[in-house]
Amino acid sequence: MAIRRTVPVKLDVSDSAAESLFATILDFRFAANCAVDRARKENGYVETTKQGLHERTYREVRERVPDLQANLVQTARNRAADALKGVVARWKDGEYAELPTFTADFIDYNKRAATFHDDHVSLSTVDGRIDAEYVLPHEDDLNDTPHGKYLFSGDFNIGGATLHHRDGVFYLHVRTKADVDDTETSEHPTVLGVDLGIDNLAVTSTGGFWSGGLLNHRRNAYEKLRGDLQRTGTESAHRTIQSIGDRESRWAKDLLHNVSKELVAEAIEYKCSAIVFERLNGIRNRMLGAKKFHVWAFNQLYEYVEYKAEAVGIDVTKVPPQYTSQRCSACGHTAKGNRSNGDDEFGCQKCGYELHADYNAAKNIGWKYVRTGQKSRSGRAARQLALKSGTVNANGDFTPAENIGQSGSPPTSTGL
C-alpha cells in the first residue's frame, strides 16, 4: 500500500527570483479563478471534471496569461476542479456554499514544472526557470526530521509540490510517497475532534482546552483604540491605525501558530491519524457573538494546523456542522433543550449525561468522521475517536489509554 507524506521546506530565494515567483503566483491565481468563473454551464449545473474545465478555459487562459507554462495552467485547473467538487458535495448535503475564490499566494507544481535536487529546487516561472536553495536543519539533526525521514531517505519518491508564500517567506510543501507492507500501518486509525469557538478558541475530544480570552481581549482593545483614532481624524491618526492593524495581525497570527502547534502535538500524543474540524461555512449565523474577525481566526488556525499536520503524516479534514452542539456524545439524543444558548454546560435530557458543551461538541465532530464508514488511508481498520481516557469506536468498544498500542488488549464495551 502507499504511504504519503508532505514535507514543508523553507526556501532561500533571491530578490529577482522572488519577483518572478510573485508574478507567477498572480497568473496561476488568475488561471484557477478563471476555471471557477467558467464552470457554470448553460443549464445551471457546475462543471467539476478536469477535462470539462480544460475545454471551457484553456484557450482563454493561454491568451490572457501567455507566459504561464502549460503545466501550471493544468495544475491551476486541477486545483479549481477539486475545490468545485467540494462545493458541489456540500450542496448535495443541503449546505449553503459559494463557488470558491482563490486569494492565497500559492502555486501547484508537478514534476514537469519543478525539478528537485539534493540541496535546491528548480521551478518554472513566467520568466523561465529559477533556482531556490533549501533551508535545512543541521546535518547532524537531519535524520530525525521529516526532511531526513521522507525527502532524502531514498524510500519515498517525490510526486510534486505546492509553493506557499507566508509572512515574507517562501515554503515548498513537497509531496512524497512510498509503498510499504500493510503490517506497517495503524491497525486502528484514531481521530481527534476539534471544536472552535469564541470563549474557548479550540477544544479537543481528548479534553484539551485553548482559551480565546486573550485573543478577544486584545481584539477589543485594538478596536477601541482604532475607534478613538478614527474620531481624531488626523493624517497621523490614520497612519497609526494602519500600523496598529499590521501589529494586531502579526500578534494574532503568532498566537494562532502556537495553538496550531499544540493541537498537532495533541494529535501526535494520542497517536491520531486525522484531525477533524467542522465546516466553517455560515458560522457567523450559527455561533452567537461571532464576528468577521473570528471567522478569519478560525480559517487561519485551520490552515496552520493543516500544513503542520501534513509534515507528520496526519490528515486534516472537515465535517458538516449540523447538530454538533445539540447532540449527546454519549447516547446520541439530539434536542435543542440539551444546551441552552450561552450556557457552557451540556445536559442530555434523555440519559442525563453532563459535561462542558464545547467538549461535547468536539467529541461529536470526531464522531461524525468516525461514523462515516469510510476507510482510513490504509484501507483497513475502522476509525476510532480519541478521548482523554482512551479510544472508542463506532460500536462502543473502549480501549483505555494505558492499553493503546499494546497487542492482546481487548476493548471493553462502554457508553462513552
Side-chain angles (χ1 to χ4, degrees):
M1 61 152 292
I3 291 292
R4 293 175 173 83
R5 296 291 184 267
T6 300
V7 184
V9 183
K10 185 177 179 180
L11 299 181
D12 184 5
V13 179
S14 68
D15 290 343
S16 61
E19 290 180 4
S20 296
L21 289 174
F22 279 126
T24 309
I25 285 172
L26 292 177
D27 283 0
F28 184 90
R29 187 187 300 158
F30 169 82
N33 283 323
C34 181
V36 173
D37 293 340
R38 304 293 181 266
R40 182 79 68 176
K41 300 180 182 179
E42 292 74 13
N43 59 8
Y45 287 93
V46 172
E47 178 65 70
T48 61
T49 68
K50 296 174 183 177
Q51 181 60 36
L53 290 173
H54 174 85
E55 294 172 357
R56 299 174 75 87
T57 63
Y58 184 77
R59 180 177 297 179
E60 177 182 358
V61 171
R62 296 296 289 154
E63 291 176 352
R64 298 282 297 275
V65 286
D67 295 329
L68 189 66
Q69 189 194 53
N71 285 324
L72 295 181
V73 175
Q74 293 169 9
T75 56
R77 175 208 64 208
N78 294 348
R79 176 60 74 98
D82 291 340
L84 288 166
K85 288 175 183 176
V87 169
V88 171
R90 290 197 288 273
W91 289 346
K92 290 180 179 179
D93 288 338
E95 296 183 44
Y96 171 79
E98 295 182 350
L99 293 181
T101 299
F102 295 96
T103 59
D105 292 341
F106 77 99
I107 306 170
D108 280 337
Y109 281 97
N110 57 28
K111 292 186 70 174
R112 293 185 295 276
T115 304
F116 302 90
H117 302 277
D118 289 341
D119 58 356
H120 73 282
V121 63
S122 174
L123 300 171
S124 292
T125 74
V126 294
D127 298 317
R129 288 266 177 166
I130 63 100
D131 290 339
E133 293 186 1
Y134 300 143
V135 179
L136 299 171
H138 191 276
E139 185 176 353
D140 294 340
D141 302 322
L142 192 62
N143 290 338
D144 294 328
T145 68
H147 309 83
K149 292 178 181 178
Y150 311 124
L151 192 58
F152 303 123
S153 70
D155 297 327
F156 283 74
N157 297 316
I158 296 175
T162 301
L163 180 78
H164 294 272
H165 180 258
R166 294 189 303 273
D167 302 327
V169 181
F170 286 99
Y171 296 89
L172 198 65
H173 288 204
V174 184
R175 298 184 291 275
T176 67
K177 183 177 74 170
D179 292 324
V180 300
D181 295 335
D182 282 354
T183 54
E184 296 183 32
T185 63
S186 172
E187 284 289 341
H188 302 291
T190 304
V191 173
L192 181 73
V194 182
D195 179 60
L196 301 179
I198 298 174
D199 293 335
N200 291 301
L201 177 61
V203 178
T204 64
S205 59
T206 52
F209 280 73
W210 284 262
S211 174
L214 182 58
L215 189 69
N216 293 323
H217 174 75
R218 290 288 292 267
R219 173 64 176 177
N220 292 336
Y222 278 125
E223 282 188 338
K224 183 179 184 303
L225 182 56
R226 270 193 296 268
D228 293 341
L229 290 167
Q230 285 172 347
R231 283 189 290 273
T232 301
T234 64
E235 183 177 345
S236 174
H238 285 295
R239 287 197 300 269
T240 303
I241 289 173
Q242 178 63 46
S243 175
I244 287 172
D246 294 340
R247 188 162 65 247
E248 177 190 12
S249 178
R250 289 193 299 270
W251 178 87
K253 285 182 177 180
D254 184 63
L255 183 146
L256 295 169
H257 263 300
N258 290 332
V259 174
S260 69
K261 291 178 185 177
E262 292 173 5
L263 285 171
V264 174
E266 185 90 350
I268 294 172
E269 179 182 352
Y270 286 88
K271 300 179 175 60
C272 296
S273 57
I275 302 173
V276 186
F277 296 79
E278 67 177 12
R279 293 175 186 162
L280 300 176
N281 305 75
I283 196 167
R284 291 183 68 183
N285 296 325
R286 303 194 311 269
M287 186 178 294
L288 189 65
K291 300 179 180 179
K292 186 177 180 180
F293 167 76
H294 294 105
V295 178
W296 170 84
F298 296 157
N299 280 293
Q300 198 76 51
L301 180 60
Y302 179 89
E303 179 183 322
Y304 290 159
V305 170
E306 188 174 36
Y307 80 76
K308 287 180 174 66
E310 281 181 346
V312 292
I314 297 176
D315 291 328
V316 180
T317 189
K318 297 176 184 176
V319 296
Q322 288 84 355
Y323 308 116
T324 54
S325 63
Q326 300 174 9
R327 184 183 186 277
C328 176
S329 57
C331 74
H333 176 66
T334 303
K336 290 183 178 180
N338 284 346
R339 181 185 181 184
S340 302
N341 287 335
D343 190 355
D344 289 338
E345 295 303 315
F346 180 93
C348 180
Q349 295 178 327
K350 182 179 180 181
C351 72
Y353 187 49
E354 295 182 350
L355 72 168
H356 194 284
D358 295 340
Y359 181 34
N360 179 72
K363 292 203 287 185
N364 281 329
I365 290 168
W367 272 127
K368 281 200 173 189
Y369 193 63
V370 168
R371 288 170 169 150
T372 56
Q374 298 172 350
K375 293 291 185 179
S376 67
R377 284 191 292 185
S378 67
R380 298 181 64 194
R383 295 170 177 149
Q384 55 191 13
L385 178 66
L387 304 173
K388 186 174 184 178
S389 54
T391 61
V392 60
N393 64 24
N395 295 323
D397 296 329
F398 176 71
T399 301
E402 60 269 21
N403 291 347
I404 294 175
Q406 299 180 10
S407 60
S409 301
T412 59
S413 180
T414 180
L416 289 176

